[in-house]
Amino acid sequence: MTLEQKEIARIDKRLERANWFVQISTSKGRQKELKSEIAFLKRQRKLFLSQLDYYRTNPS
């Protein structure tokens, strides 16, 4: 597994865990906090993939 695949897997694992906690959480405040974290992780994953794509297509 490459370093890039490990990073994506790490982000995906955190997303999976956060989604699971949202489903079992009874506190509305905690759900809002977790949904905010999920949105952040999705943006982080998208940014990582776009940077990876850029460096693959534009090697220095």
Side-chain angles (χ1 to χ4, degrees):
M1 185 178 274
T2 66
L3 189 60
E4 294 88 2
Q5 291 170 326
K6 286 181 182 178
E7 180 66 16
I8 292 168
R10 185 186 67 79
I11 293 170
D12 287 345
K13 185 69 176 176
R14 285 180 62 195
L15 272 170
E16 182 183 320
R17 195 174 317 129
N19 278 317
W20 182 76
F21 277 118
V22 166
Q23 291 174 6
I24 66 166
S25 180
T26 56
S27 164
K28 292 293 180 190
R30 180 71 176 140
Q31 283 183 348
K32 188 175 182 182
E33 183 182 318
L34 287 165
K35 287 180 180 179
S36 166
E37 182 179 344
I38 289 168
F40 167 76
L41 288 168
K42 285 180 178 179
R43 287 190 308 270
Q44 187 180 23
R45 186 179 195 278
K46 186 176 180 180
L47 176 65
F48 180 77
L49 290 173
S50 67
Q51 288 175 338
L52 188 61
D53 185 50
Y54 173 81
Y55 288 114
R56 282 186 180 154
T57 57
N58 299 310
S60 34

